[in-house]
Amino acid sequence: MRDQEPAPAQRADRRLSTQETAELLGVKPETVYAYVSRGLLTSRRAHGRRGSTFDAAEVEALARRNRRESMAGSSPDELSVRTRITLIDADRYFFRGVDAAELAARHSYEEVAEWLWTGALRPGARFVAPKEALAAARRAVNGLPEHSSPVDRLRVAAVAAATSDPMRYDLSAQSVLGAARSLIPTLAAAQPLQSPTYADGEPIARRLWGRLSYQEPDEASLRVLDMALALLVDHDLAASTLAVRVAASARAHPYAAVSAGLGVLESPLHGAASGLAHRMLLEVLDRGNAGPVVADELRAGRRVPGLGHRLYTSEDPRARALFAALEDLPAAHPALAAARDIVATTARHTDLHANVDLALAAFTVTYGMPPEAGETIFAVARTAGWIAHALEEYEERPLRMRPTGHYVGARPPQPLPEPPGRPEE
């Protein structure tokens, strides 16, 4: 069965209603009026009824233009997607044009998330999970096998939270943002409790800490966790983010879109990379020298975890910001020294710099967190970015994220396959 897309207008001189125009363009009705205000469409009051009408030919022309622009800059081997969320340029990255590292240093995770979603800051923003969503998520997570991974629990919690939200199919910005503000604290509460719980309504960093460490945090360590969450909110079209946009392009609701991202996140090349760096740091601390540890990694045919990033020629700016914050915490100095030893050891022969996985590992090792803690931090943080990309994709033409396959198999017609013959008796 072919994917369904809005059918083109049958007659160029026909007047379209606002709803018909929105469906043809693959946008919301309010976006149609935004096009009018920007001079991209002209509207005319309908005779004898409320609402505006639009010239079908003009709407078709705008639809074709949008399709061309959505593919601009792409090649057969590279997918290009227009976005206003994150820019990576000259070894720095920016959220809506603002230096992301500076934003994370001055604002909380929740405030950075709001900036990413709306382009406006909400000082003191807090996210609160509905009791129904929390109860559903905890029941579902408690039913998992004992040794389920953190991302397993997050995926199940996201699905359970969706079942408690009857408005999940409403893809208006207001409804999606409401879902996001309740889903993030629900995910934070989906992990087993390690230390005394915190009240709902407190910052996500404080609520998440009790799920990651037995140690009681002070304000300085909580601030570093909050900064880590804010730094990891988004990073352009990472693999998980692309999965989210594909789901949103098919008009999956926000919980389903986040579930798509979580499904991709659990990879050693993505969200799980910090766990590998965590284990390596522990070994360096145990052996007192990075040299033999790095040698063991290379002898086993593995890349050294926590080093290099395809988008940066020097040190990952997220790592730089986290390392600088950890410098102010005396407890973090041993892990920082081990991380520097790893970088210095590999720098003798390669031009690789620390990435955010190594910096995140230095933080999780310092506070006795499990190796999977970095993956949990990454997933909860990135949920805000996934929602930002879903919001953006909901404004685009439906199903535009559907590439055409390049078939390289046997050319038809081929004979029908024969079942395997019976063995000779």
Side-chain angles (χ1 to χ4, degrees):
M1 188 175 101
R2 295 185 59 190
D3 296 330
Q4 298 298 310
E5 296 192 13
Q10 298 300 311
R11 290 178 49 201
D13 59 347
R14 189 165 73 90
R15 302 297 297 180
L16 302 177
S17 68
T18 302
Q19 186 60 42
E20 288 172 325
T21 301
E23 290 175 359
L24 183 61
L25 293 172
V27 298
K28 299 173 185 176
E30 50 264 39
T31 305
V32 172
Y33 291 108
Y35 284 150
V36 173
S37 65
R38 289 157 53 192
L40 298 176
L41 286 177
T42 53
S43 63
R44 183 189 303 167
R45 299 294 298 178
H47 294 294
R49 56 190 178 93
R50 296 178 60 187
S52 301
T53 64
F54 301 84
D55 180 78
E58 187 179 45
V59 174
E60 282 279 13
L62 179 58
R64 288 194 297 272
R65 172 183 166 183
N66 286 350
R67 287 193 289 270
R68 287 195 303 271
E69 289 181 356
S70 69
M71 296 301 294
S74 65
S75 69
D77 299 318
E78 181 181 359
L79 177 64
S80 178
V81 177
R82 293 178 302 165
T83 178
R84 297 180 180 87
I85 298 171
T86 299
L87 169 67
I88 298 176
D89 183 55
D91 286 342
R92 297 170 66 190
Y93 74 124
F94 306 84
F95 293 156
R96 294 189 180 275
V98 177
D99 186 284
E102 292 183 13
L103 198 64
R106 300 185 183 186
H107 295 279
S108 70
Y109 164 68
E110 291 91 333
E111 290 169 347
V112 173
E114 291 286 347
W115 171 254
L116 215 63
W117 294 336
T118 67
L121 282 173
R122 287 181 59 213
R126 294 287 183 268
F127 301 155
V128 178
K131 292 181 180 179
E132 297 83 359
L134 281 174
R138 285 171 177 158
R139 282 196 304 270
V141 169
N142 289 340
L144 290 173
E146 182 180 355
H147 298 294
S148 299
S149 75
V151 176
D152 288 334
R153 290 189 284 269
L154 293 173
R155 284 201 298 262
V156 168
V159 172
T163 65
S164 71
D165 184 1
M167 299 299 292
R168 62 186 180 275
Y169 297 107
D170 180 358
L171 301 185
S172 66
Q174 181 179 1
S175 180
V176 172
L177 288 174
R181 292 172 184 134
S182 67
L183 176 59
I184 289 172
T186 301
L187 294 180
Q191 304 302 317
L193 193 63
Q194 306 293 333
S195 59
T197 188
Y198 302 100
D200 198 24
E202 291 194 88
I204 293 295
R206 179 171 285 276
R207 280 179 276 173
L208 189 59
W209 185 284
R211 311 280 167 175
L212 300 175
S213 176
Y214 289 102
Q215 299 182 25
E216 184 68 19
D218 55 22
E219 288 304 314
S221 55
L222 275 175
R223 178 59 195 137
V224 174
L225 176 56
D226 189 56
M227 176 185 284
L229 289 166
L231 289 168
L232 291 166
V233 161
D234 190 55
H235 204 236
D236 196 33
L237 285 182
S240 57
T241 304
L242 181 59
V244 168
R245 291 199 76 128
V246 171
S249 177
R251 297 305 183 254
H253 59 69
Y255 300 91
V258 167
S259 295
L262 289 168
V264 176
L265 185 76
E266 195 175 22
S267 159
L269 301 180
H270 198 9
S274 64
L276 302 177
H278 178 109
R279 292 180 176 90
M280 181 179 64
L281 270 182
L282 286 178
E283 191 172 355
V284 172
L285 288 168
D286 182 56
R287 299 173 71 169
N289 191 315
V293 178
V294 169
D296 287 346
E297 292 290 332
L298 298 175
R299 187 181 299 117
R302 297 188 294 263
R303 294 179 57 186
V304 180
L307 298 179
H309 197 289
R310 64 188 297 267
L311 298 180
Y312 301 113
T313 56
S314 62
E315 189 174 49
D316 183 336
R318 300 168 299 174
R320 187 162 53 247
L322 263 183
F323 282 142
L326 288 169
E327 286 282 4
D328 296 331
L329 304 179
H333 289 178
L336 282 174
R340 291 194 194 97
D341 194 7
I342 291 168
V343 174
T345 299
T346 57
R348 298 172 191 172
H349 301 292
T350 63
D351 189 26
L352 293 177
H353 302 271
N355 63 35
V356 72
D357 298 314
L358 188 62
L360 197 56
F363 172 74
T364 56
V365 164
T366 295
Y367 292 100
M369 297 177 183
E372 299 80 12
E375 188 173 7
T376 303
I377 294 168
F378 193 108
V380 172
R382 191 56 58 88
T383 298
W386 291 336
I387 291 293
H389 281 273
L391 282 165
E392 212 172 51
E393 194 59 40
Y394 290 146
E395 296 290 344
E396 298 285 353
R397 177 175 58 87
L399 292 172
R400 74 185 184 117
M401 307 288 286
R402 196 208 187 282
T404 300
H406 178 58
Y407 181 74
V408 295
R411 301 303 303 174
Q414 295 288 321
L416 288 172
E418 295 289 341
R422 293 183 180 180
E424 294 183 4
E425 296 183 357

